């Protein structure tokens, strides 16, 4: 959690506080069970201080939490490197990924659903290797080939969440500009559009195009992502990307505002079927 956003520290603390309450323990009783001072439990629960994965494990044991998926989610939020499979693969790239990007990937890997508005580029989970390379080269100045290759590998590895069991449920609204912006040249763009068509047919993907004719809309202020978690909605979070950092919004009013905004965008966008037809027309006309 030392490198994690404060939002995750507070959300982890809130979840631990709720689990303690379910166990029928006061903070003092919980502290005595694990051999701590009561103030340490309070600091963890309020998000005032970080917490090591080993300490989270102690608390979960004390609270009798046996749900393996919930335990793993909370341990990942605490920064655990343990476990296997898709949940921890990004640690192999620790040397090249900034903390904010690692935080984003960890949330993405644990989320049950993701809603995203994209106004400039195809979402990373739906990019082809060639498109990802062109976008990454344009976004990060001075990349040597080795680092560029590694960042593209990360982008493609993230896409495994769509093939997991269960897969991430992805709802994406793409501004029409995304389909017109020729990134990587005509051939790369044609293949990218074909990839979007393939993805749009997946049961776990809902893809909609927001046409220019929709005029001004709530998404003109910029792209955003909403992560949702099946184990607990209290961990839901909005992520806003900036050039050098990411902003995490956790307040219920923020989540409600962005959820309502995304719902409105879906209403004004083409239906999934109409969107697929529109993309197919772009491919045929290429």
């Amino acid at each position: 959690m030392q490198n994690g956003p404060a939002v995750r520290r507070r959300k982890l603390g809130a979840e631990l506080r709720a689990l303690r309450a379910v166990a029928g323990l006061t903070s003092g009783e919980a502290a005595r069970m694990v051999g701590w001072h009561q103030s340490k439990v309070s600091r963890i629960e309020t998000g005032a201080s970080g917490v090591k994965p080993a300490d989270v494990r102690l608390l979960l044991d004390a609270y009798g939490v046996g749900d393996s998926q919930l335990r793993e989610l909370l341990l990942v939020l605490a920064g655990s490197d343990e476990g296997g499979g898709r949940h921890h693969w990004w640690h192999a790239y620790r040397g090249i990924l900034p903390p904010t990007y690692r935080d984003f990937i960890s949330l993405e890997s644990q989320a049950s659903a993701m809603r995203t508005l994209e106004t400039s580029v195809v979402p990373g989970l739906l990019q082809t290797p060639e498109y990802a390379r062109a976008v990454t080269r344009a976004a990060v100045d001075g990349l040597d080939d080795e680092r560029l290759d590694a960042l593209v590998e990360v982008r493609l590895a993230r896409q495994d969440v769509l093939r997991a069991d269960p897969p991430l449920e992805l709802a994406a609204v793409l501004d029409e500009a995304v389909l017109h912006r020729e990134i990587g040249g005509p051939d790369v763009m044609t293949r990218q559009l074909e990839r979007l068509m393939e993805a749009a047919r997946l049961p776990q993907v809902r893809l909609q195009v927001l046409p220019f004719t929709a005029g001004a809309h709530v998404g003109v202020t910029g792209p955003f992502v909403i992560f949702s978690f099946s184990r607990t909605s209290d961990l839901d979070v909005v992520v806003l990307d900036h050039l050098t950092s990411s902003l995490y919004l956790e307040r219920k009013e923020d989540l409600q505002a962005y959820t309502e905004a995304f719902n409105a965008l879906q209403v004004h966008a083409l239906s999934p079927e109409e969107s697929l037809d529109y993309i197919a027309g772009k491919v045929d006309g290429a």
Side-chain angles (χ1 to χ4, degrees), residues 23-58:
L25 298 170
T26 67
S27 59
E29 291 169 338
R32 286 193 293 272
M33 290 180 68
V34 296
W36 300 344
H37 290 294
Q38 186 271 339
S39 60
K40 179 174 180 178
V41 174
S42 296
R43 288 196 305 272
I44 289 172
E45 291 184 350
T46 59
S49 65
V51 53
K52 298 176 181 178
D55 288 343
V56 171
R57 192 177 297 105
L58 279 176

Side-chain angles (χ1 to χ4, degrees), residues 230-258:
S230 60
R231 313 307 298 181
T232 170
S233 62
D234 288 341
L235 294 175
D236 291 359
V237 63
V238 176
V239 185
L240 307 178
D241 268 338
H242 301 287
L243 183 61
T244 58
S245 64
S246 296
L247 176 64
Y248 292 74
L249 305 179
E250 61 172 323
R251 298 185 308 165
K252 291 186 182 299
E253 50 266 45
D254 291 328
L255 286 165
Q256 181 178 350
Y258 276 89

Side-chain angles (χ1 to χ4, degrees), residues 14-24 60 63 65 70 74:
E15 185 64 17
L16 290 172
R17 182 171 63 249
L19 291 171
R20 174 177 59 76
V22 170
L60 295 178
Y63 302 159
V65 178
L70 179 57
L74 297 180

Side-chain angles (χ1 to χ4, degrees), residues 21 42 49 57 88 95 102 105 113 133 137 148-149 195 274:
S42 296
S49 65
R57 192 177 297 105
H88 306 274
R102 296 200 303 269
I105 295 172
R133 177 175 293 274
R137 188 183 293 279
L148 177 61
D149 289 344
R195 168 67 180 124
E274 292 169 334

Side-chain angles (χ1 to χ4, degrees), residues 75-244:
L75 287 168
V76 167
L77 289 178
S80 173
D81 291 346
E82 297 180 10
R86 65 187 180 94
H87 297 318
H88 306 274
W89 59 265
W90 60 89
H91 291 293
Y93 297 89
R94 185 186 298 272
I96 66 167
L97 299 180
T100 53
Y101 193 14
R102 296 200 303 269
D103 293 327
F104 184 91
I105 295 172
S106 67
L107 288 172
E108 184 179 70
S109 72
Q110 291 290 332
S112 59
M114 174 180 173
R115 287 163 286 179
T116 181
L117 166 70
E118 288 292 349
T119 58
S120 298
V121 298
V122 170
L125 295 183
L126 304 179
Q127 292 179 6
T128 65
E130 297 80 11
Y131 186 98
R133 177 175 293 274
V135 167
T136 304
R137 188 183 293 279
V140 186
D141 286 334
L143 279 179
D144 56 44
D145 289 342
E146 182 178 359
R147 186 176 175 85
L148 177 61
D149 289 344
L151 290 174
V152 172
E153 286 178 10
V154 169
R155 185 70 56 90
L156 299 180
R158 286 173 47 204
Q159 298 176 3
D160 285 346
V161 295
L162 295 175
R163 297 182 287 269
D165 184 20
L168 176 77
E169 298 287 337
L170 174 64
V173 173
L174 309 186
D175 191 280
E176 187 177 349
V178 172
L179 307 180
H180 288 277
R181 180 168 288 103
E182 191 174 278
I183 293 177
D187 292 341
V188 170
M189 199 62 199
T190 296
R191 174 62 192 126
Q192 179 60 71
L193 293 175
E194 291 172 344
R195 168 67 180 124
L196 286 177
M197 293 174 60
E198 295 169 3
R201 296 188 179 99
L202 296 173
Q204 66 270 33
V205 175
R206 179 182 176 88
L207 182 63
Q208 293 180 259
V209 175
L210 188 64
F212 290 141
T213 54
H217 54 78
V218 69
V220 296
T221 56
F224 60 86
V225 172
I226 306 173
F227 285 121
S228 299
F229 299 84
S230 60
R231 313 307 298 181
T232 170
S233 62
D234 288 341
L235 294 175
D236 291 359
V237 63
V238 176
V239 185
L240 307 178
D241 268 338
H242 301 287
L243 183 61
T244 58

